Structure formats: structure tokens, C-alpha cells
Amino acid sequence: MSASGGTKAIVAALAANLAIAVSKFVAFLFSGSSSMLAESVHSLADSGNQALLLVGGKKAQREATPQHPFGYGRERYIYAFLVSIILFSVGGMFALYEGYEKIKHPHEIDHWYWPVGVLVFAIIAETFSFRTAIKESNTLRGKKSWKEFIRHAKAPELPVVLLEDLGALVGLILALGGVGLALLTGDGVWDGVGTVCIGVLLVLIAVVLAIETKSLLLGESAGTEETKRIEAAIVDGDTVTRIIHMRTLHLGPEELLVAAKIAVQHDDTATEVAGAINAAETRIREAVPIARVIYLEPDIYSEAEAAKGADPEATPGGPTQHDPAH
């Protein structure tokens, strides 16, 4: 996996979650706290999620084959989507069920120092993991807000780890609040309430992850800045006079497909046109290195045809966002 995949953040989160899952389960065995059980399952699910992200990153590195000529870059999107499903089903739904049962059949927490001590340890470990994810993300985020980064990042691993770590920290605080209120009031219902809150939180995070990774799976275009650089690189003002229409598609986080119909001079020779296309491809790759698959189709621009407007059926994907095709 490339550096942009956030391997360091994933490994840090995996190590933290495995240690936390074991400690939470031990605390549940000694205390009987449902919040501890829900949190231990949550951490175990998170550990599995990070393992899935690492597997997806490894599989995405496979070479292209005749059956898959554009490679396996989208494997990372598939495994990120699986993470959202696991977080929803194993983490969120289990916590909601466990919380409901605890509210329906409450009991006091035994050996209170076990859950409290483990929760404090878990908060420290998750803070370390979250800090690592933030540090890794800042190198890619640039001037984008955190919301923009999570919504528009083409590499799914860092947004997944960020949301998981954030959810884990908030969940730990909720668990600590539930256990604390149960100890102060002597009413185990509060432990169940904290567990239900954890479940709701995990379901919400899973839904956000599913929406974002679904968009990546369907296929997203290049970002605005990348698109502008590609457009500027294609037109040389001599042989290539304009872009008639263009499509871009991420084949993976670090692989971009560019397909464009370009206008050339009507009296250019085939040799001149071929040379102009090769030069344009070189400029595109220099401007946007991840543009690895490029298809440029030469044509003659017609003002009369352009005045008729874009034909939504001319190119898959609907109306163009550039100059109308003729």
C-alpha cells in the first residue's frame, strides 16, 4: 500500500484495538458491565476492520490481467465498504441489543475498578491511535476542512480509521459515563443506557462510511484542481486547440483514467495529430502523475454543431461539463 493509504495509521489502530479488546473483555468478566461487553465487541470489530483494510491494500497492488485490464485498485474501496457493514452489524447492532437487555434486566456492577481502570487505559490508547491518524491525514488534507477531507478523499483508509477512532473515543466516554452513573446511583439501567448510546453512535458512523465508500465504488471523477491541471495540459494552442468533452474516473486511489475528445486543426496530417496526442499525454502525466490510463480522440470542432448543445447520449455519464460535443 502506498504512503497515502495511511498504513502507519492502520497498524497503530490495529495494535491499540487488539490490546483494548482484550482488556475490556477481562473487565466484563470481572464486573458484568454490559458497556464493557459492548465496547470489547466494538474494539474486536475495529481490529477486524483494520485487518480488512490492510488486506484490501495488499490485494490492490496486484498487476492488471486480461480479465481485469485496469488492475485491482478498487479492491481498497470494496474492503472499506465491508468495514462499514461490519461496524454496523457487529458493532452497532450488537451494542443496541446488549443495551436493551441491560435496561430490561439491570444488575449492579461488580468490582467497579476493573471497568473504570480499563476505560481509562483504553482512552489513552485510542488517543494515541487517533493522534497518529490525524498526523497521517494532515499530510494529505492540505487546506481542506475535516468534513471535506472525509467526503472527498479518494484513498478510503484514512477516513475510515479517523471515523473509527473518533467513534471509539466518544464511545469510551459514553461507556465511562454509563458505568459511572450506574456506580453512583446503584442502578444498572444507566450502564444499559450508555451501551445503547454506543450502539447509536456506531450505527451513525457506519452509515456515513457506507455512503462515502459507495460513492467511491460507483466511480468518482478527478478532483477540481486535478481536472483543471489536466485541461491545461491537454491544450497546446497549436495542434490541440480545445477540449470538446472529457471524462475522468478513479480506477483506484492512485490511478486515474482520462478520456477526452480534443479538437485539432482540420489541415493537420496524421503524423502531426499523432505527435500532438503523444505530447498531450506526456503533459497530462507530468501535471497529474496518477493519470496512468489516457485515451485522447482527435476531432474537428464545429461551431454549428456545438450551438445545438450537448447530447446526453453521446458519451456515457450524461451531459458534459466542458465545451459541448459536436
Short mmCIF file of all heavy atoms in Angstrom, two decimals, residues 20 23-24 27 31 36 111-125 172 176 179 183:
data_model
loop_
_atom_site.label_atom_id
_atom_site.label_comp_id
_atom_site.label_asym_id
_atom_site.label_seq_id
_atom_site.Cartn_x
_atom_site.Cartn_y
_atom_site.Cartn_z
N ILE A 20 -6.89 -3.18 23.58
CA ILE A 20 -8.08 -2.68 24.27
C ILE A 20 -9.17 -3.74 24.33
O ILE A 20 -9.86 -3.88 25.35
CB ILE A 20 -8.59 -1.41 23.57
CG1 ILE A 20 -7.59 -0.27 23.77
CG2 ILE A 20 -9.95 -1.00 24.12
CD1 ILE A 20 -7.88 0.95 22.91
N SER A 23 -8.44 -6.20 27.13
CA SER A 23 -8.61 -5.60 28.46
C SER A 23 -10.09 -5.36 28.77
O SER A 23 -10.54 -5.58 29.90
CB SER A 23 -7.84 -4.28 28.54
OG SER A 23 -8.33 -3.34 27.61
N LYS A 24 -10.88 -4.96 27.77
CA LYS A 24 -12.31 -4.72 28.00
C LYS A 24 -13.04 -6.02 28.32
O LYS A 24 -13.93 -6.05 29.20
CB LYS A 24 -12.94 -4.07 26.77
CG LYS A 24 -12.56 -2.61 26.55
CD LYS A 24 -13.15 -2.12 25.25
CE LYS A 24 -12.80 -0.67 24.98
NZ LYS A 24 -13.28 -0.22 23.66
N ALA A 27 -12.36 -7.02 31.79
CA ALA A 27 -13.14 -6.18 32.70
C ALA A 27 -14.60 -6.61 32.74
O ALA A 27 -15.23 -6.60 33.80
CB ALA A 27 -13.04 -4.72 32.24
N SER A 31 -16.65 -7.68 36.08
CA SER A 31 -17.64 -6.70 36.54
C SER A 31 -19.06 -6.98 36.08
O SER A 31 -20.02 -6.55 36.72
CB SER A 31 -17.24 -5.30 36.05
OG SER A 31 -17.35 -5.22 34.63
N MET A 36 -19.03 -2.69 29.04
CA MET A 36 -17.73 -3.29 28.79
C MET A 36 -17.81 -4.37 27.71
O MET A 36 -16.93 -4.48 26.84
CB MET A 36 -17.18 -3.91 30.08
CG MET A 36 -16.59 -2.92 31.06
SD MET A 36 -15.05 -2.19 30.45
CE MET A 36 -15.69 -0.74 29.64
N HIS A 111 -17.02 -5.22 41.19
CA HIS A 111 -15.60 -4.87 41.01
C HIS A 111 -15.46 -3.66 40.08
O HIS A 111 -14.85 -3.75 39.01
CB HIS A 111 -14.82 -6.06 40.45
CG HIS A 111 -14.99 -7.33 41.24
ND1 HIS A 111 -14.51 -7.47 42.52
CD2 HIS A 111 -15.61 -8.49 40.92
CE1 HIS A 111 -14.80 -8.69 42.96
NE2 HIS A 111 -15.47 -9.32 42.02
N TRP A 112 -16.00 -2.53 40.51
CA TRP A 112 -16.07 -1.33 39.67
C TRP A 112 -14.72 -0.87 39.14
O TRP A 112 -14.62 -0.25 38.08
CB TRP A 112 -16.69 -0.18 40.48
CG TRP A 112 -15.86 0.23 41.67
CD1 TRP A 112 -15.96 -0.25 42.93
CD2 TRP A 112 -14.80 1.18 41.68
NE1 TRP A 112 -15.04 0.32 43.76
CE2 TRP A 112 -14.31 1.23 43.02
CE3 TRP A 112 -14.21 2.00 40.73
CZ2 TRP A 112 -13.26 2.05 43.38
CZ3 TRP A 112 -13.17 2.83 41.10
CH2 TRP A 112 -12.70 2.86 42.41
N TYR A 113 -13.65 -1.19 39.88
CA TYR A 113 -12.32 -0.70 39.48
C TYR A 113 -11.84 -1.33 38.18
O TYR A 113 -11.02 -0.76 37.48
CB TYR A 113 -11.30 -0.96 40.60
CG TYR A 113 -11.42 -2.32 41.26
CD1 TYR A 113 -10.81 -3.44 40.70
CD2 TYR A 113 -12.17 -2.48 42.43
CE1 TYR A 113 -10.92 -4.68 41.30
CE2 TYR A 113 -12.29 -3.72 43.03
CZ TYR A 113 -11.67 -4.82 42.47
OH TYR A 113 -11.79 -6.05 43.06
N TRP A 114 -12.38 -2.51 37.82
CA TRP A 114 -11.98 -3.13 36.56
C TRP A 114 -12.46 -2.32 35.35
O TRP A 114 -11.65 -1.92 34.50
CB TRP A 114 -12.51 -4.58 36.48
CG TRP A 114 -11.59 -5.57 37.13
CD1 TRP A 114 -11.73 -6.13 38.36
CD2 TRP A 114 -10.40 -6.11 36.57
NE1 TRP A 114 -10.70 -6.99 38.63
CE2 TRP A 114 -9.87 -7.01 37.54
CE3 TRP A 114 -9.72 -5.94 35.38
CZ2 TRP A 114 -8.69 -7.71 37.33
CZ3 TRP A 114 -8.55 -6.65 35.16
CH2 TRP A 114 -8.04 -7.52 36.13
N PRO A 115 -13.76 -2.07 35.24
CA PRO A 115 -14.20 -1.30 34.07
C PRO A 115 -13.66 0.11 34.03
O PRO A 115 -13.29 0.61 32.96
CB PRO A 115 -15.74 -1.31 34.19
CG PRO A 115 -16.03 -1.61 35.62
CD PRO A 115 -14.92 -2.51 36.06
N VAL A 116 -13.58 0.76 35.19
CA VAL A 116 -13.07 2.14 35.22
C VAL A 116 -11.60 2.17 34.79
O VAL A 116 -11.19 3.00 33.97
CB VAL A 116 -13.26 2.76 36.61
CG1 VAL A 116 -12.55 4.12 36.69
CG2 VAL A 116 -14.74 2.93 36.93
N GLY A 117 -10.80 1.26 35.35
CA GLY A 117 -9.39 1.23 35.00
C GLY A 117 -9.16 0.92 33.53
O GLY A 117 -8.32 1.54 32.87
N VAL A 118 -9.92 -0.03 33.00
CA VAL A 118 -9.77 -0.40 31.59
C VAL A 118 -10.21 0.74 30.68
O VAL A 118 -9.58 1.00 29.65
CB VAL A 118 -10.58 -1.68 31.28
CG1 VAL A 118 -10.72 -1.89 29.78
CG2 VAL A 118 -9.89 -2.89 31.91
N LEU A 119 -11.28 1.42 31.04
CA LEU A 119 -11.75 2.54 30.22
C LEU A 119 -10.72 3.66 30.17
O LEU A 119 -10.51 4.27 29.11
CB LEU A 119 -13.08 3.06 30.76
CG LEU A 119 -14.30 2.17 30.47
CD1 LEU A 119 -15.52 2.67 31.22
CD2 LEU A 119 -14.59 2.12 28.97
N VAL A 120 -10.10 3.94 31.29
CA VAL A 120 -9.05 4.98 31.31
C VAL A 120 -7.88 4.55 30.43
O VAL A 120 -7.35 5.34 29.63
CB VAL A 120 -8.58 5.24 32.75
CG1 VAL A 120 -7.35 6.15 32.75
CG2 VAL A 120 -9.70 5.87 33.57
N PHE A 121 -7.48 3.27 30.55
CA PHE A 121 -6.40 2.76 29.70
C PHE A 121 -6.79 2.83 28.22
O PHE A 121 -5.98 3.21 27.36
CB PHE A 121 -6.09 1.30 30.08
CG PHE A 121 -5.32 0.55 29.02
CD1 PHE A 121 -3.97 0.80 28.82
CD2 PHE A 121 -5.95 -0.41 28.22
CE1 PHE A 121 -3.26 0.11 27.83
CE2 PHE A 121 -5.25 -1.10 27.25
CZ PHE A 121 -3.90 -0.84 27.05
N ALA A 122 -8.04 2.46 27.92
CA ALA A 122 -8.50 2.46 26.53
C ALA A 122 -8.53 3.87 25.95
O ALA A 122 -8.20 4.08 24.78
CB ALA A 122 -9.89 1.83 26.45
N ILE A 123 -8.94 4.83 26.74
CA ILE A 123 -8.98 6.22 26.27
C ILE A 123 -7.57 6.69 25.91
O ILE A 123 -7.36 7.36 24.89
CB ILE A 123 -9.61 7.14 27.33
CG1 ILE A 123 -11.12 6.87 27.41
CG2 ILE A 123 -9.36 8.60 27.01
CD1 ILE A 123 -11.83 7.60 28.53
N ILE A 124 -6.59 6.32 26.74
CA ILE A 124 -5.20 6.71 26.46
C ILE A 124 -4.72 6.05 25.17
O ILE A 124 -4.12 6.69 24.30
CB ILE A 124 -4.29 6.31 27.63
CG1 ILE A 124 -4.66 7.13 28.89
CG2 ILE A 124 -2.82 6.53 27.28
CD1 ILE A 124 -3.95 6.68 30.15
N ALA A 125 -4.99 4.75 25.00
CA ALA A 125 -4.55 4.02 23.81
C ALA A 125 -5.24 4.55 22.55
O ALA A 125 -4.60 4.73 21.51
CB ALA A 125 -4.83 2.53 23.97
N LEU A 172 -16.03 5.35 24.32
CA LEU A 172 -15.40 5.11 25.62
C LEU A 172 -15.88 6.12 26.66
O LEU A 172 -16.11 5.77 27.83
CB LEU A 172 -13.88 5.20 25.48
CG LEU A 172 -13.22 4.03 24.74
CD1 LEU A 172 -11.78 4.37 24.39
CD2 LEU A 172 -13.27 2.76 25.59
N LEU A 176 -17.84 5.17 29.97
CA LEU A 176 -17.40 5.63 31.28
C LEU A 176 -18.52 6.37 32.00
O LEU A 176 -18.70 6.20 33.21
CB LEU A 176 -16.17 6.55 31.11
CG LEU A 176 -15.44 6.96 32.39
CD1 LEU A 176 -14.92 5.73 33.13
CD2 LEU A 176 -14.29 7.90 32.06
N VAL A 179 -21.12 3.65 33.15
CA VAL A 179 -20.61 2.91 34.31
C VAL A 179 -20.57 3.81 35.54
O VAL A 179 -20.95 3.40 36.65
CB VAL A 179 -19.20 2.36 34.02
CG1 VAL A 179 -18.56 1.80 35.29
CG2 VAL A 179 -19.27 1.27 32.95
N LEU A 183 -22.66 3.27 39.03
CA LEU A 183 -21.99 3.14 40.33
C LEU A 183 -22.51 4.18 41.33
O LEU A 183 -22.72 3.87 42.51
CB LEU A 183 -20.48 3.29 40.15
CG LEU A 183 -19.77 2.16 39.40
CD1 LEU A 183 -18.32 2.53 39.12
CD2 LEU A 183 -19.86 0.86 40.19
#
